[in-house]
Amino acid sequence: MSELDTRRFVARDRNWQPKGYTPDYKTTIARSPSQALVSIPQSLSETTGPDFSHLKMGKYDNDLLLNFNHGGLPVGERVIMCGRVIDQYGNPVPHTLVEMWQANAGGRYRHKNDSYLAPLDPNFGGVGRTLTDANGYYYFRTIKPGPYPWRNGPNEWRPSHIHVSISGPSISTKLITQMYFEGDPLIPKCPIVRTIANPDAVETLIGRLDLSSNVPMDCLAYRFNIVLRGQRQTRFENQ
């Protein structure tokens, strides 16, 4: 981050982000701070780097249809997730690392602690990574994840979503969030989504159908732009 960017830094709007303690989302009861937060001045190590521009990526790191192929293609609706990573002023964040992980088409993660009865897909790993280009654009090809039940309540389901981690231009701008899919009726019913009081903030988490980015006879595309820092920063997943 340059001296100019530091000087122009815009603090996050705390009304834009959800409160840490929201009992309807039961995990926040244990996770939310019980004491006042302590402000720690940022050092140079937090406001600069790391530099990912020379990170060597695999041929299929951003193609989840092929990066876990064991003799066949994964089951499910083929989709593209794409967009830009920008800062609070609309400037692109180039050559930064974007990582994503998700459930398969049945709503199950390839994780030892996921015991949901939906089967694992032998040809789907559920993880990918890429670097943004010089204009901040990123691109993934994947399978639309399925919804799944979770133990927050007796009959609650997570909407279809993809987890995203973005490193930004410095350690202090690292963001972890989720992309939901436009038109999903489970979005307004999700206790995690309902922790966000501002409807406009919820909209920043929804990937929009983008017919201009489709691959004809192959994939629908969903555009998901991500804002790092500032008053319109895309919502943190861990807040």
Side-chain angles (χ1 to χ4, degrees):
M1 188 187 302
S2 70
E3 181 182 350
L4 177 61
D5 287 335
T6 302
R7 189 167 61 246
R8 297 175 62 208
F9 182 81
V10 178
R12 280 186 289 128
D13 181 352
R14 295 296 175 178
N15 295 319
W16 181 258
Q17 302 289 340
K19 299 182 183 300
Y21 179 72
T22 51
D24 287 343
Y25 175 20
K26 292 182 179 179
T27 306
T28 67
I29 297 173
R31 288 181 177 175
S32 59
S34 59
Q35 300 181 27
L37 300 179
V38 177
S39 179
I40 301 176
Q42 293 182 343
S43 67
L44 187 63
S45 64
E46 280 90 41
T47 58
T48 60
D51 180 7
F52 296 106
S53 60
H54 302 293
L55 181 64
K56 186 176 181 180
M57 310 298 288
K59 181 178 180 181
Y60 299 120
D61 279 5
N62 68 333
D63 190 342
L64 281 71
L65 301 184
L66 299 176
N67 68 13
F68 201 78
N69 186 297
H70 286 80
L73 293 172
V75 174
E77 179 184 345
R78 298 154 66 95
V79 297
I80 291 167
M81 173 186 177
C82 59
R84 296 182 75 204
V85 180
I86 59 176
D87 67 16
Q88 65 239 33
Y89 309 110
N91 301 314
V93 180
H95 313 305
T96 195
L97 181 64
V98 181
E99 300 170 291
M100 54 89 87
W101 62 99
Q102 63 170 93
N104 64 21
R108 184 171 176 181
Y109 291 93
R110 185 170 289 279
H111 191 283
K112 63 181 180 180
N113 292 334
D114 190 340
S115 58
Y116 181 37
L117 54 80
L120 289 172
D121 187 328
N123 296 303
F124 189 74
V127 295
R129 64 175 189 165
T130 191
L131 294 176
T132 57
D133 68 11
N135 295 308
Y137 285 99
Y138 72 92
Y139 174 100
F140 291 100
R141 189 168 70 151
T142 186
I143 294 295
K144 186 176 181 180
Y148 57 84
W150 61 310
R151 300 184 184 278
N152 190 72
N155 187 26
E156 290 184 333
W157 290 71
R158 294 297 334 275
S160 298
H161 62 279
I162 296 176
H163 300 266
V164 190
S165 169
I166 309 97
S167 292
S170 70
I171 291 294
S172 64
T173 58
K174 184 176 178 65
L175 176 111
I176 299 176
T177 189
Q178 298 180 17
M179 184 196 85
Y180 301 98
F181 290 82
E182 181 179 15
D184 189 336
L186 289 174
I187 294 173
K189 301 180 185 298
C190 178
I192 295 179
V193 176
R194 289 204 302 266
T195 65
I196 308 172
N198 189 324
D200 291 335
V202 174
E203 292 297 309
T204 69
L205 299 179
I206 298 176
R208 301 295 174 185
L209 185 65
D210 182 1
L211 296 177
S212 65
S213 297
N214 286 356
V215 177
M217 308 301 292
D218 186 352
C219 295
L220 289 174
Y222 290 84
R223 183 163 298 277
F224 184 54
N225 294 327
I226 301 162
V227 181
L228 301 175
R229 301 193 305 248
Q231 292 180 335
R232 296 304 174 203
Q233 179 183 45
T234 303
R235 174 189 173 267
F236 270 105
E237 182 177 85
N238 61 343
Q239 287 187 335

